[in-house]
């Protein structure tokens, strides 16, 4: 079936069949079944979620599922929506709705794409919606499947513009002083440490930086885990270990010295932002401190 034929079928399915509204238990995540489709194959299940991140798990998938994202944002509307399909998302096609138009995002044949993160802009008066259309299974295997995805709503367009095969990442260029001072205040992850190892994934076009951190100033989603020394001759010294993703084109490599790593967390993974040498950061921060130009206080030790 061609992409145009698939889009036509979904449009007919969504706009000319019965929409069955169902409620999500915690407004962020939804887990439900497609048993209603066994009663009437024209039924399209519809779910409304009101958080900026969460997950959808569709057990025993039926004909189609429509997920409307309408978060409670007091300051600004989201402009970018990112979804990460689950490894079990097989036998389904994913569509997005923007300004009343449906666009094919992922087909059921793209198994290699299941590790990717897909982002799209959601500007306009209508709330973004995501469709999952289950492919028919002649042997009844549909009743034993589960499919779903995780989602994040972002308040800026740049994250979507930086989409790569492995997910979200920032530019490879070094941060200037202003960007660095903002990064220590606003980043999801801020740690001081050294690079222990770097591995590369040519398929995802990403590099994975293993970091041994002496100090974790801030983190989200438990990216860094604490380790204790097993030495009995000296008191246990706490240290932290974690991984940060970056783009393959950034040519990350192991090196001596101590760095200040900052970054954002998406779908439980840290993505590298500014990463100056710690001594260079101290110079920038102290100069700004003397001029009273810091956006936030940062502990120096």
């Amino acid at each position: 079936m061609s992409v145009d034929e698939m889009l036509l079928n979904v449009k007919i399915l969504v706009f000319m069949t019965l929409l069955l509204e169902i409620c999500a238990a915690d407004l962020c995540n939804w887990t439900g079944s497609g048993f209603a489709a066994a009663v009437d194959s024209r039924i399209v299940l519809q779910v409304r979620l009101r958080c900026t991140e969460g997950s959808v798990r569709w057990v025993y998938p039926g004909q189609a599922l429509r997920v409307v994202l309408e978060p409670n944002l007091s300051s600004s509307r989201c402009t970018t929506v990112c979804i990460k399909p689950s490894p079990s998302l097989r036998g389904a096609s994913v569509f997005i709705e923007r300004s009343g138009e449906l666009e094919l995002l992922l087909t059921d044949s793209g198994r290699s794409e299941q590790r990717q993160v897909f982002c799209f802009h959601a500007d306009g008066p209508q709330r973004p919606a995501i469709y999952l259309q289950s492919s028919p299974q002649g042997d009844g295997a549909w009743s034993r499947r589960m499919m779903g995805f995780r989602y994040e709503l972002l308040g800026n367009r740049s994250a979507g513009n930086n989409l790569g095969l492995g997910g979200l990442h920032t530019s490879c260029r070094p941060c200037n002083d202003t960007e660095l001072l903002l990064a220590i205040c606003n980043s999801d992850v801020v740690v001081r440490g050294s690079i222990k190892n770097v591995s590369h994934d040519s398929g995802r076009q990403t590099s994975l930086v293993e970091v041994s951190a002496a100090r974790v100033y801030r983190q989200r989603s438990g990216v860094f885990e604490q380790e204790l020394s097993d030495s009995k001759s000296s008191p246990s010294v706490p240290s932290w270990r974690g991984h940060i993703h970056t783009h393959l084109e950034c040519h990350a490599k192991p090196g001596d010295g101590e760095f200040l790593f900052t970054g954002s967390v998406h779908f439980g993974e840290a993505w590298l932002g500014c990463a100056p040498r710690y001594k260079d950061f101290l110079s920038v921060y102290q100069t700004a401190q003397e001029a009273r130009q810091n956006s936030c206080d940062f502990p120096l030790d």
Side-chain angles (χ1 to χ4, degrees):
M1 180 182 297
S2 68
V3 172
D4 290 339
E5 291 174 331
M6 190 180 300
L7 282 171
L8 178 60
N9 288 344
V10 173
K11 289 180 180 180
I12 295 174
L13 177 66
V14 172
F15 297 112
M16 298 186 64
T17 60
L18 174 65
L19 281 175
L20 178 62
E21 188 86 20
I22 49 182
C23 298
D26 63 3
L27 303 181
C28 299
N29 309 294
W30 178 81
T31 299
S33 74
F35 276 133
V39 178
D40 189 338
S41 61
R42 299 172 303 164
I43 288 179
V44 176
L45 301 181
Q46 179 166 268
V47 179
R48 296 183 183 274
L49 299 175
R50 302 185 63 80
C51 297
T52 55
E53 60 181 89
S55 63
V56 171
R57 295 177 69 249
W58 193 19
V59 188
Y60 310 118
Q63 181 75 342
L65 174 69
R66 182 176 189 255
V67 181
V68 181
L69 305 176
E70 43 185 13
N72 293 315
L73 297 179
S74 57
S75 57
S76 62
R77 293 173 60 88
C78 69
T79 60
T80 302
V81 178
C82 295
I83 68 172
K84 183 176 183 178
S86 67
S88 60
L89 185 59
R90 297 173 182 173
S93 297
V94 182
F95 299 81
I96 60 174
E97 178 187 348
R98 291 188 292 185
S99 302
E101 293 293 328
L102 291 174
E103 301 176 21
L104 180 64
L105 186 66
L106 174 65
T107 64
D108 58 0
S109 60
R111 292 195 176 187
S112 62
E113 298 173 340
Q114 291 165 5
R115 298 172 62 189
Q116 297 184 30
V117 172
F118 297 88
C119 297
F120 61 92
H121 299 313
D123 300 329
Q126 294 182 336
R127 296 296 189 182
I130 301 169
Y131 294 92
L132 271 66
Q133 183 187 26
S134 177
S135 302
Q137 302 289 321
D139 58 357
W142 67 271
S143 62
R144 298 189 298 270
R145 291 186 294 152
M146 188 280 290
M147 56 185 61
F149 59 88
R150 296 170 65 183
Y151 69 89
E152 288 188 6
L153 279 68
L154 308 177
N156 62 82
R157 297 178 64 91
S158 60
N161 293 334
N162 290 329
L163 176 65
L165 289 177
L168 299 167
H169 54 80
T170 55
S171 171
C172 295
R173 68 171 178 80
C175 296
N176 59 38
D177 293 352
T178 300
E179 292 169 334
L180 174 57
L181 294 173
L182 288 175
I184 63 172
C185 301
N186 302 326
S187 295
D188 297 329
V189 172
V190 183
V191 301
R192 174 165 56 90
S194 58
I195 300 175
K196 289 302 180 183
N197 188 39
V198 179
S199 57
H200 305 288
D201 188 333
S202 58
R204 299 180 69 189
Q205 290 292 295
T206 60
S207 298
L208 187 64
V209 181
E210 181 182 349
V211 176
S212 176
R215 178 78 182 270
V216 175
Y217 301 98
R218 185 187 313 121
Q219 71 164 325
R220 185 166 69 88
S221 300
V223 174
F224 281 80
E225 297 181 349
Q226 193 173 31
E227 298 180 332
L228 295 176
S229 173
D230 295 331
S231 175
K232 297 181 179 180
S233 60
S234 61
S236 296
V237 178
S239 63
W240 300 77
R241 189 173 298 273
H243 295 85
I244 301 178
H245 297 257
T246 189
H247 199 277
L248 188 63
E249 292 181 354
C250 294
H251 304 294
K253 58 184 179 180
D256 298 330
E258 195 172 42
F259 297 83
L260 185 70
F261 298 94
T262 69
S264 57
V265 174
H266 300 285
F267 303 106
E269 296 179 340
W271 290 87
L272 188 63
C274 302
R277 291 190 177 272
Y278 185 67
K279 61 181 181 64
D280 295 334
F281 158 72
L282 286 179
S283 176
V284 171
Y285 182 83
Q286 291 170 346
T287 299
Q289 190 175 42
E290 293 172 358
R292 297 184 177 181
Q293 295 178 343
N294 286 328
S295 300
C296 64
D297 293 328
F298 189 85
L300 302 179
D301 51 21

